[in-house]
Amino acid sequence: GTDCVMLSGETAAGSFPIESARMMVKICREAEKHMDFILTYERMAEACKGSFRNADEAICNSAVRLAIDSGASMILALTSTGFTPRHIAKFKPPVPICAVAPTEEVCRGLALVRGVVALRTEFDQADGTGAIIDRAVAEAKSFGIVSAGDTIVVVHRTLDDQGR
């Protein structure tokens, strides 16, 4: 699959660059309507079976499986680096991935990752995971990504005192 598409220089610099970009958006949206996300996930999961490089990658796979099985409307990934939402996106979930990051740099880095909506929200580990998740869900609601009562899968990695 493709995370993003780009107009060629000739098209973008032609007489109708805005219309060209709008048409590309329409084409991509139409193509996604016909994508079988569950089959795509199954194929990707099968291809990766037994070859996860670390537990984090396996957890991202499991988050997508849980989202599919539970009928979740969103996967929420709290991230400081963008690692988690990128690995979740690899499995092409059928629901949006809301990546909540503390910096614009991380959000910009996620802008080209398919299925990821990056929201910049300050969070401090001292706030506690529950408070961070509540703030992130409120932000996702304000952008219309989820609604009250929706099922959400949350992925959040924390480090111990030794940074592991």
Side-chain angles (χ1 to χ4, degrees), residues 15 20 31 41 97 99 109 112 121 124 135 141:
S15 299
S20 297
Y41 164 75
I97 303 159
L112 296 177
T121 301
D124 183 347
R135 225 172 22 249
K141 283 180 184 175

Side-chain angles (χ1 to χ4, degrees), residues 43-52 61 91:
R43 287 179 176 161
M44 179 62 88
E46 186 61 32
C48 292
K49 200 173 193 176
S51 65
F52 293 119
N61 172 40
F91 295 100

Side-chain angles (χ1 to χ4, degrees), residues 126-150:
D127 292 343
T129 303
I132 296 168
I133 291 169
D134 289 345
R135 225 172 22 249
V137 169
E139 186 114 1
K141 283 180 184 175
S142 75
F143 281 95
I145 300 169
V146 292
S147 301
D150 284 356

Side-chain angles (χ1 to χ4, degrees), residues 2-164:
T2 301
D3 280 338
C4 65
V5 292
M6 181 178 82
L7 293 172
S8 66
E10 296 84 8
T11 307
S15 299
F16 305 100
I18 293 171
E19 291 83 355
S20 297
R22 285 187 181 136
M23 182 55 70
M24 183 68 77
V25 168
K26 284 176 71 173
I27 291 167
C28 291
R29 287 189 176 148
E30 186 64 27
E32 285 220 343
K33 285 182 191 175
H34 301 284
M35 186 172 168
D36 185 337
F37 288 100
I38 296 172
L39 180 61
T40 301
Y41 164 75
E42 296 292 347
R43 287 179 176 161
M44 179 62 88
E46 186 61 32
C48 292
K49 200 173 193 176
S51 65
F52 293 119
R53 290 176 291 212
N54 54 50
D56 296 332
E57 201 172 9
I59 289 169
C60 291
N61 172 40
S62 297
V64 175
R65 174 84 266 160
L66 179 59
I68 291 168
D69 290 349
S70 68
S73 57
M74 178 180 81
I75 299 172
L76 176 65
L78 307 183
T79 184
S80 57
T81 64
F83 174 92
T84 299
R86 276 193 298 277
H87 280 276
I88 293 169
K90 172 173 74 174
F91 295 100
K92 306 280 190 246
V95 296
I97 303 159
C98 181
V100 177
T103 67
E104 279 300 319
E105 180 182 40
V106 172
C107 289
R108 281 193 306 270
L110 292 168
L112 296 177
V113 181
R114 187 227 156 262
V116 175
V117 176
L119 304 175
R120 183 179 177 276
T121 301
E122 294 289 331
F123 56 83
D124 183 347
Q125 295 295 343
D127 292 343
T129 303
I132 296 168
I133 291 169
D134 289 345
R135 225 172 22 249
V137 169
E139 186 114 1
K141 283 180 184 175
S142 75
F143 281 95
I145 300 169
V146 292
S147 301
D150 284 356
T151 299
I152 298 169
V153 173
V154 179
V155 182
H156 176 51
R157 179 177 184 234
T158 58
L159 303 176
D160 64 16
D161 294 337
Q162 287 75 43
R164 298 178 292 199

